[in-house]
Structure formats: C-alpha cells, structure tokens
C-alpha cells in the first residue's frame, strides 16, 4: 500500500487510446488486461448497451429468462464447438473457473464415482483470484503462494512439452486417477502467470493424456478466447476439444464484466436427473445480465462481419518484426509473439513502477508482469500506434541494458 504510485485518472477512451483527466492520450498496449479486443467505446457495442439499458437493464436468471441470454447462449455454443452444449452465465472469469471445477467434481458425484475431487493443473498457470481458482494457479510463483494451507491442494504439473513429458504426466495421473476429476489448462498462452506459450502439440498431449484416463478437460479461455491467439479460441489449434470451456474478459468486447462456462453434452447429461441434489447449485446474482449479453452479442457481431482475425494476423506480424530486435539485448532472454500478444522476457525482475512511468512519458500504457514486458493491444489499434508501442518497448530494453 505504501509503494504503489497514484493511479492515473481516466475520463474517456477511443479505439486504442485512453484519455486522461489532464488531456493526455495514452496508447493502451494491454487493452485493459486484454479485454477490449475492439478498442474503447466501440460505437456498435456502446449502442447495444444503450439500447438494452433502456429496455431491460437487469432481471434475475432464476426461473426467468430474456432474449439476449438465449441468443448469446446459441452463439457461444456454435462458436465454441463442443457439439450439443449448454452455457452457464456468471459475472467474472474466476467464477467461470469455479463453476467449471464444481461441474467437473459434481459430474463424478452424479455418475456415482466418489473421491474424484482434485485437478491436474500446470506450472505458471493463472485461473483467477477466488479460492478454487487460486488453488489451480501456479503454487509457487503465483500471486497466491502465501495462501498455501488455506487453499485446496491440487496436482500442479509441468507442461508435457515432449513425449517424455507426456509419459511423465500419464504416469502421474495413472497413480492417482481415483482422486482426480479433471485437468485445467489455459490453452496455448498462460498469460497472467508470465505470458508463456506452448505449442499445439503440447496442448494435444494434455488432452490426449486426459482422455486416456477419462478425465474432464477444462479449457480456461478467459484470456485466450475471442481471437487473442490468432484463432477464435485457442482450442481451435487442435483436433480434439475440451469438455468444459470458460470464457470471460473479451466476451463483451471488454465493455462490461461477464463470463460463461460452456459444457459439452456428455458433461450436461450427468445433470439431467430428477433428483434435486443432482442439480448444479450455483447462482451468481447478476448472471446473464441483459446489458452484458447485448454487449457480448454486439462484440460477436464484429467478429462475424469484420475481418477481425485477419487483423490479429497483421498485429502478430508487426509485433514479430518490431519486437524481435530486442532479443539480442543482454538483459533479454527471450522474445515471443503469438497472435496479438508480444512478450519480452527479461533475465531479471523489471522495476514495474519506474517502467510504467517510462512508458507513460512516451504516451503508452504498458504494465509489466514481474520479469516480462508485454503487449496485448486492442486488435483495431492502428499500425502507427502499434509501432510506437513496440519502439517504446525497444527503448526500455536499451535503457535497462545500460542500467
Ligand atoms: C483474467 C483471468 C481469469 C480471471 O478472470 P476475472 O474476470 O479477473 O475473475 C481466469 N482465467 C484466466 C486465464 C484469466 O486470464
């Protein structure tokens, strides 16, 4: 509390620009934690929010429903492509993860298999800040490490990056499969845990190994969903799919908080019982808020009608071209780019407050994570702004190398 710099006051936003109270405009290099995929104040999304607010701003989703919730569920099921599936609405990514974990555990209870209550998670993972989600984050490096003892013990494993990794994971699961409900993974990009990427082959190994032991696969696409890694969902990179998918962040184009947990038919069937205790008892008060649903529908409409993913590919190539020279600096160990994410890995921790100040002085909003300076801008950022961001990162690398 004593070391944080005072926050900058934002009074407006437009595309990739934040407008500060003193009139300065900053290029947002991280899209407000990767949510604003179509930029700030997207006219179509704002219009959808305004229109819905004037008709029905909120209604509980218990025993009542509304058209935007029905339409959005249909759209999400089509896009996520789990076959016949169902959508559970909630209000944040962490809760979407809680619901996914709870669904997986209850699936096993409902089919009469007791004791399958734990999860395989991965090193460097980040799944949110509620206690269940915290328990599947990286146990050592995550921001939750000092809550050990309070959190449920899970089974964090290294990513199976090769055949040896796969056989190790396979053996680890085989030895305790009676206690394991499922596997949870951020497909292709572990973002808040340090902007670390893995390839489609690694992801396929995880899903294949889970299938071999009939575990439920949860894909946490809260960060990766809606184009961030180059495809609509990161799971699109492999043939197989998850059983449960969590989405959030960019779901509403980042304009308003909302998340969802989407479950495949095989999972849902275990809940199709007349026994009331077989129901999934979870009900976030603001689940399926109509304004949020309307914003999400407007955001998905952008993906359907505009070349958004083509733009992500262009952003990727600019990030690649502009950030790769950083790799030769002595203080940089790696530069990696995936979709609209570019990360410069430093050899040691970055002084975050002074780095933020450095970027603000150059008209950029960039907020490093421990030892990584990363960019994850809105997709509709101009080439010019994107190059400016990358050059600011380059200048920071050079300054830090001399220090
Ligand atoms: C941000 C994030 C979450 C948590 O979402 P909140 O809306 O902050 O609760 C969960 N999983 C991943 C992969 C995330 O990036």
């Amino acid at each position: 509390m004593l070391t944080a710099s005072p926050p900058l006051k934002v009074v407006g936003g437009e595309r990739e620009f934040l407008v500060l109270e003193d009139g300065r405009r900053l290029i947002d290099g991280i899209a407000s934690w990767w949510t604003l995929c179509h930029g700030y104040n997207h006219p179509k999304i704002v219009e959808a929010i305004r229109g819905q607010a004037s008709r029905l701003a909120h209604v509980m989703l218990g025993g009542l429903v509304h058209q935007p919730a029905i339409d959005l569920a249909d759209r999400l099921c089509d896009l996520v492509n789990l076959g016949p599936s169902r959508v559970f609405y909630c209000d944040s990514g962490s809760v979407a993860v809680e619901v996914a974990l709870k669904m997986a555990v209850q699936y096993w209870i409902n089919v009469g298999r007791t004791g399958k209550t734990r999860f395989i998670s991965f090193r460097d993972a980040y799944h949110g800040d509620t206690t269940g989600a915290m328990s599947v984050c990286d146990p050592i490096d995550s921001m939750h490490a000092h809550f050990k003892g309070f959190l449920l013990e899970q089974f964090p494993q290294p990513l199976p990056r090769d055949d040896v990794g796969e056989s190790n994971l396979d053996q680890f699961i085989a030895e305790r499969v009676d206690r394991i409900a499922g596997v949870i993974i951020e497909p292709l990009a572990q973002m808040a845990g340090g902007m670390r990427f893995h390839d489609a082959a690694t992801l396929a190994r995880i899903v294949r190994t889970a299938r071999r032991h009939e575990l439920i696969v949860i894909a946490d696409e809260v960060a990766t969903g809606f184009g961030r890694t180059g495809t609509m969902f990161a799971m699109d990179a492999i043939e197989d799919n998850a059983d449960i998918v969590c989405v959030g962040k960019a779901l509403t184009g980042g304009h308003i908080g909302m998340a969802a947990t989407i479950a495949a038919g095989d999972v849902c069937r275990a809940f199709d019982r007349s026994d009331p205790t077989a129901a999934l008892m979870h009900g976030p008060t603001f689940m399926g808020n109509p304004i949020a649903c309307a914003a999400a529908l407007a955001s998905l409409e952008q993906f359907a009608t505009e070349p958004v993913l083509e733009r992500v590919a262009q952003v990727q190539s600019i990030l690649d071209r502009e950030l790769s020279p950083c790799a030769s600096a002595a203080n940089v160990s790696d530069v990696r780019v995936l979709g609209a994410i570019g990360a410069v890995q430093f050899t040691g921790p970055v002084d975050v407050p002074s780095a933020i100040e450095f970027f603000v002085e150059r008209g950029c909003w960039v907020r490093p994570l421990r030892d990584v300076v990363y960019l994850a801008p809105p997709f509709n950022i101009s080439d010019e702004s994107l190059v400016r961001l990358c050059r600011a990162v380059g200048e920071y690398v050079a300054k830090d190398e001399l220090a």
Side-chain angles (χ1 to χ4, degrees):
M1 290 297 283
L2 296 180
T3 58
S5 8
L8 302 172
K9 196 161 185 186
V10 179
V11 293
E14 187 195 351
R15 290 177 63 109
E16 71 269 36
F17 297 102
L18 290 169
V19 182
L20 302 186
E21 195 178 33
D22 61 14
R24 277 182 295 171
R25 285 161 71 88
L26 302 182
I27 304 168
D28 185 351
I30 58 175
S32 271
W33 283 323
W34 345 307
T35 57
L36 283 133
C37 56
H38 312 297
Y40 289 92
N41 289 7
H42 190 281
K44 298 263 177 60
I45 301 176
V46 171
E47 186 189 298
I49 290 172
R50 197 175 273 134
Q52 185 58 45
S54 67
R55 288 187 295 276
L56 176 68
H58 184 60
V59 63
M60 66 185 274
L61 214 62
L64 300 171
V65 75
H66 53 84
Q67 198 60 43
I70 295 169
D71 293 344
L72 180 59
D74 287 345
R75 291 292 290 276
L76 286 174
C77 288
D78 282 350
L79 284 169
V80 173
N81 209 13
L82 297 179
S85 44
R86 289 195 190 166
V87 174
F88 185 98
Y89 287 119
C90 43
D91 39 21
S92 74
S94 302
V95 175
V97 168
E98 296 293 334
V99 169
L101 300 174
K102 211 160 142 181
M103 264 182 196
V105 168
Q106 198 176 345
Y107 169 88
W108 292 112
I109 296 170
N110 284 3
V111 302
R113 295 278 303 273
T114 52
K116 284 171 81 71
T117 55
R118 304 228 241 159
F119 291 88
I120 297 287
S121 58
F122 294 94
R123 292 296 316 274
D124 300 315
Y126 176 81
H127 295 289
D129 295 342
T130 52
T131 50
M134 282 161 80
S135 77
V136 284
C137 291
D138 185 290
I140 300 155
D141 289 342
S142 78
M143 357 191 171
H144 312 313
H146 48 273
F147 290 101
K148 191 174 159 38
F150 170 56
L151 300 179
L152 298 167
E153 299 256 344
Q154 308 288 4
F155 295 125
Q157 294 298 298
L159 286 167
R161 292 190 186 267
D162 52 26
D163 291 346
V164 176
E166 180 172 348
S167 87
N168 289 343
L169 180 63
D170 186 83
Q171 193 180 341
F172 184 89
I173 294 173
E175 283 163 10
R176 43 184 76 66
V177 68
D178 289 344
R179 292 152 69 200
I180 304 174
V183 174
I184 181 163
I185 176 72
E186 293 155 272
L188 301 188
Q190 296 176 303
M191 293 196 56
M195 299 290 153
R196 290 167 209 273
F197 306 149
H198 52 267
D199 59 10
T202 300
L203 184 57
R205 278 182 210 106
I206 293 169
V207 176
R208 190 161 65 218
T209 307
R211 295 270 171 259
R212 224 177 278 131
H213 298 283
E214 299 184 323
L215 300 182
I216 291 184
V217 177
I218 302 170
D220 178 356
E221 296 246 23
V222 171
T224 52
F226 311 106
R228 185 53 66 184
T229 64
T231 49
M232 196 61 179
F233 293 96
M235 289 302 284
D236 298 346
I238 63 169
E239 279 294 311
D240 206 346
N241 209 334
D243 302 300
I244 302 177
V245 175
C246 303
V247 295
K249 286 199 168 87
L251 169 60
T252 62
H255 281 51
I256 186 167
M258 178 183 221
T261 307
I262 302 141
D266 283 347
V267 174
C268 296
R269 264 191 293 285
F271 293 83
D272 289 338
R273 307 278 170 99
S274 42
D275 172 5
T277 67
L280 180 74
M281 295 307 285
H282 205 105
T285 303
F286 286 102
M287 66 193 303
N289 172 266
I291 298 175
C293 288
L297 284 164
S299 175
L300 294 180
E301 193 59 22
Q302 285 303 111
F303 282 98
T305 56
E306 301 288 330
V308 179
L309 296 180
E310 284 86 331
R311 181 60 192 155
V312 174
Q314 290 163 357
V315 168
Q316 168 162 343
S317 70
I318 295 171
L319 288 170
D320 243 332
R321 185 188 74 213
E322 296 290 325
L323 292 179
S324 54
C326 297
S328 56
N331 53 340
V332 169
S333 59
D334 184 34
V335 174
R336 41 187 189 264
V337 173
L338 176 67
I341 316 163
V344 175
Q345 177 75 53
F346 285 69
T347 51
V350 170
D351 178 37
V352 175
S354 77
I356 291 174
E357 204 178 296
F358 179 94
F359 287 111
V360 169
E361 279 164 10
R362 282 154 188 79
C364 300
W365 179 244
V366 176
R367 204 162 177 266
L369 278 168
R370 200 167 43 200
D371 54 359
V372 186
V373 174
Y374 74 94
L375 300 176
F379 304 153
N380 60 346
I381 186 171
S382 69
D383 286 5
E384 189 198 338
S385 293
L386 187 54
V387 169
R388 269 189 63 189
L389 282 170
C390 293
R391 304 243 156 116
V393 172
E395 278 175 55
Y396 181 78
V397 167
K399 187 207 88 150
D400 182 76
E401 194 180 19
L402 290 177

